[in-house]
Amino acid sequence: MADKVYAAVAVAPERTAVQALDLPEIGEDEGLLKVETVGVCGTDVSVYRQLKEPRILGHHVIGYVAKIGARAAQRWGVREGDRVAMEEYIPCGQCDKCRTGLYRSCDFTDSKRGGLRYGNTPLHVAPGLWGGFSQYMYLHPNAVLHRMPAHVKAVEAALTLPLANGFEWMCIEGRVGVGSTVVVLGPGQQGLACVLAAKAAGAEKVICVGRRTSLRRLELARELGADEIVNISEEDLIGRVREMTGGEMADVVIDVTSGGTEPITQALHLAKKRGQVLWAAYKYQAIPAFDADEVVAKTLTIKGLRGHSYESVEMAIRLIASGRFPIWVMNSHDYPLERTHEALQTAGGRGEPNPLLVTVSP
């Protein structure tokens, strides 16, 4: 193995440079991952546009264990050559959140508090290889790995974490099951993951909602199992869902749209009495005209959601490996390492048209 590794380093807002970095020495509790492919996440795009310090982005990582210490191999149950999916979290493993399975909320992996997280840790933090847009990535002693079957296509494997979010939000938090009616607001990567998870869980009717500009994604939602789609640029959302559900409305409504606040209030109207409203997208603004009385009158349950758990990642891997759904259709663009800037621009709507799952394959 060479002493140097090439990585696409985000060096300034919306500027990337491919740099040669040192490969670290690996101790008994550490490892090194040879990166196969990386899905570009909306978080990567946001960090790239507001970059404060150089770092290697990319945290939806699939790769092969290239080097591993003896204690790490025993702890993770893997050996050199094994294919794995990485979680972005690097938790402490000791706090109450970690001990109860909520390690995504551990302060040690909270990048906003200076914690360690794959794809969002500055380059100056040794050994620097904290992101997937690189030939190799450092495996911290507290890294969270999952075995990935060899037969799974790389572009499908790269959907592991988005799909894990879908299972977390739909099945674990939303308790979607056989006979459920679900409305998914937003047909982006996370919305389609929710469609897949809901159908895999046995939902009877899944309705995916988007605008005219998202028609291709709405069509993909149908391919991935959605029973109905609603184009709100041309159709009345509340009326159409009422028609589709025979007036019953939805057991579960989830908002995964970016930007606008209207879906927040729409979700309250779309849910049936004693239904659940799930919010899984930041709005970065106050919500005007929020009708708390409707929440009380319909005895709604409202949850704010983020991230995934170990269990939901395993659920995602099992579904991907089953071949039950044509998950590969979600991959729209794949770029080599030297075109990482283009990958980030495309994923952010400023590059090639019609992006969905954009990947970088070093």
Side-chain angles (χ1 to χ4, degrees), residues 8-262:
V9 180
V11 293
E14 299 191 70
R15 191 160 69 86
T16 291
V18 175
Q19 299 181 3
L21 305 175
D22 292 329
L23 276 174
E25 292 293 325
I26 298 302
E28 290 294 291
D29 291 306
E30 305 166 301
L32 195 65
L33 187 81
K34 180 174 175 57
V35 178
E36 178 184 11
T37 193
V38 190
V40 183
C41 174
T43 301
D44 295 320
V45 176
S46 297
V47 173
Y48 192 44
R49 292 176 178 174
Q50 305 169 42
L51 194 75
K52 294 180 172 58
E53 294 180 278
R55 66 198 62 200
I56 304 171
L57 300 172
H59 58 277
H60 292 181
V61 182
I62 304 298
Y64 294 89
V65 177
K67 186 179 288 189
I68 191 167
R71 286 195 295 267
Q74 183 176 25
R75 184 174 63 254
W76 289 325
V78 299
R79 58 187 179 182
E80 291 179 6
D82 283 352
R83 192 186 194 204
V84 298
M86 296 290 304
E87 294 194 38
E88 67 269 47
Y89 311 122
I90 307 175
C92 74
Q94 301 299 321
C95 68
D96 61 334
K97 296 181 181 65
C98 286
R99 293 294 192 181
T100 55
L102 297 174
Y103 54 83
R104 64 185 179 275
S105 297
C106 172
D107 289 344
F108 191 79
T109 191
D110 188 344
S111 53
K112 293 181 180 179
R113 300 188 182 190
L116 297 175
R117 181 171 294 205
Y118 286 114
N120 202 17
T121 296
L123 192 67
H124 68 76
V125 178
L129 300 176
W130 298 104
F133 299 149
S134 173
Q135 292 175 319
Y136 289 87
M137 193 170 76
Y138 170 65
L139 297 179
H140 185 278
N142 293 352
V144 183
L145 287 66
H146 299 258
R147 286 178 173 275
M148 176 60 64
H151 75 272
V152 174
K153 297 176 182 177
V155 294
E156 295 185 344
L159 275 160
T160 297
L161 294 192
L163 187 52
N165 287 348
F167 274 108
E168 185 74 24
W169 304 342
M170 292 285 91
C171 304
I172 297 176
E173 295 285 354
R175 302 191 304 278
V176 170
V178 175
S180 296
T181 295
V182 178
V183 173
V184 178
L185 300 175
Q189 189 178 126
Q190 295 290 188
L192 295 179
C194 288
V195 168
L196 280 163
K199 292 306 293 184
E204 181 177 342
K205 188 179 291 292
V206 175
I207 302 167
C208 191
V209 179
R211 298 181 179 277
R212 182 185 298 111
T213 52
S214 301
L215 282 180
R216 173 59 184 140
R217 296 181 179 189
L218 288 172
E219 291 168 2
L220 280 175
R222 276 199 188 278
E223 291 185 51
L224 294 169
D227 300 283
E228 304 281 359
I229 58 174
V230 180
N231 172 7
I232 60 172
S233 299
E234 299 174 2
E235 301 175 274
D236 171 56
L237 175 58
I238 308 300
R240 287 289 289 131
V241 171
R242 183 177 292 113
E243 176 187 338
M244 292 171 178
T245 62
E248 288 293 314
M249 309 309 280
D251 297 289
V252 177
V253 183
I254 185 164
D255 170 35
V256 286
T257 61
S258 59
T261 62
E262 188 178 12

